[in-house]
Amino acid sequence: MAMIITVANEKGGVAKTTASCELALLAQHNGYKTVLIDTDHQQGATKFKLRRDQVSAELPPLRVVPIVGKSVGSQIVDFARENDIVVVDAGGRDSQEMRLAMLVSHLVLIPTSEGDADTDGLNKMAMLINESRLRNPELKAWIMPARIPPTNFGATRALIEEELNKPIDPSVPNERIRDVLGTVTRCFLVQRSAYKTAYGWGRSVREMDGRDPKAASEVQAFYQEVVDHG
Ligand SMILES: Nc1ncnc2c1ncn2[C@@H]1O[C@H](COP(=O)(O)OP(=O)(O)O)[C@@H](O)[C@H]1O
Ligand SMILES: [Mg+2]
């Protein structure tokens, strides 16, 4: 049975699709049989795969399967039976697909960028994770700082930590977001042009000619943390 990792955050533009594609490409590169399931109606991962097929055709293809609707959960489980790693790009809004994916996942990864570490966003994700754990009690949920300005990393981490101390529901002051989403990854993705360029080519930052070594080592650390501890 594969490890199932869902990448989700209600916020858009926080690098969910970038993180999903980097993770799937690295898993594949390391010899794991990998599939990336795209449940986002915007189909960012599917478009990434098409760009890869068109402009980076010399590289190994990435297997991306778009799935929407009620059968998302059962289809993810079917893919998990015949793969080592299943990554799900669950898109940027609360959806049936996001909820169904969380019910069958081992880990939900929540990319969180500087402007998005606000109560609304993390609150909502904490509520969704809480609900999912009623039926999937072992579900892990990690916040991953992403698209962080290079000079501002400490401040962003402090901001996230501050948000985690707030109550999930103001009428239940004892339950804090931290109680549900307590883990912030050690790894993080800095805001770098290398990610945008690679994304346009349907490639990992590691696969670019004259690659950015900092971006390449960041995604390697990200992959390693997920595979070792997820
Ligand atoms: N670390 C980063 N640095 C710079 N640009 C990034 C980074 N991560 C993502 N981007 C760019 O930001 C945009 C949104 O990223 P994307 O992964 O599509 O976010 P989401 O799936 O959360 O909406 C894309 O153009 C992508 O290339
Ligand atoms: Mg996306």
Side-chain angles (χ1 to χ4, degrees):
M1 185 77 169
M3 179 178 183
I4 305 172
I5 304 143
T6 289
V7 182
N9 188 339
E10 281 231 301
K11 300 280 173 174
V14 292
K16 292 181 298 292
T17 302
T18 303
S20 303
C21 293
E22 289 286 355
L23 187 58
L25 284 169
L26 256 164
Q28 180 173 294
H29 178 75
N30 280 279
Y32 291 108
K33 192 171 178 205
T34 305
V35 63
L36 170 49
I37 295 179
D38 185 3
T39 74
D40 186 356
H41 289 260
Q42 294 187 354
Q43 300 214 318
T46 305
K47 291 172 193 160
F48 178 94
K49 184 246 180 337
L50 293 175
R51 287 197 297 279
R52 184 174 179 87
D53 291 347
Q54 282 163 5
V55 297
S56 299
E58 71 278 21
L59 297 174
L62 176 65
R63 215 152 51 106
V64 180
V65 183
I67 307 176
V68 291
K70 278 191 222 147
S71 67
V72 160
S74 59
Q75 290 204 60
I76 292 172
V77 171
D78 285 345
F79 277 102
R81 288 203 185 95
E82 57 196 49
N83 285 277
D84 303 315
I85 296 195
V86 177
V87 180
V88 182
D89 181 356
R93 63 190 171 89
D94 181 9
S95 62
Q96 182 185 42
E97 288 83 4
M98 185 191 279
R99 287 167 182 256
L100 290 170
M102 285 183 182
L103 289 180
V104 297
S105 293
H106 301 104
L107 169 66
V108 175
L109 204 57
I110 307 169
T112 302
S113 69
E114 188 190 35
D116 302 298
D118 58 81
T119 318
D120 280 356
L122 293 180
N123 243 19
K124 190 68 206 288
M125 291 310 292
M127 284 184 204
L128 284 170
I129 297 289
N130 246 347
E131 273 177 40
S132 303
R133 282 189 182 139
L134 295 174
R135 285 169 61 191
N136 182 10
E138 301 300 319
L139 178 65
K140 294 182 183 179
W142 294 354
I143 293 173
M144 179 179 71
R147 297 197 70 182
I148 304 302
T151 52
N152 211 15
F153 181 65
T156 303
R157 201 171 266 267
L159 191 63
I160 291 173
E161 293 291 340
E162 198 179 302
E163 292 302 324
L164 292 181
N165 284 330
K166 295 189 176 165
I168 297 174
D169 175 347
S171 65
V172 188
N174 288 340
E175 193 178 30
R176 297 174 308 160
I177 299 175
R178 179 182 300 287
D179 300 329
V180 180
L181 301 179
T183 305
V184 182
T185 57
R186 271 180 289 122
C187 67
F188 51 92
L189 304 181
V190 165
Q191 175 85 24
R192 300 183 195 280
S193 60
Y195 288 101
K196 227 178 184 63
T197 310
Y199 196 69
W201 282 87
R203 296 183 186 204
S204 164
V205 290
R206 297 175 65 262
E207 294 171 324
M208 295 302 290
D209 299 333
R211 69 185 192 183
D212 176 337
K214 288 184 180 163
S217 69
E218 261 165 30
V219 296
Q220 177 67 36
F222 161 53
Y223 163 78
Q224 213 61 53
E225 189 167 354
V226 169
V227 169
D228 290 351
H229 304 289

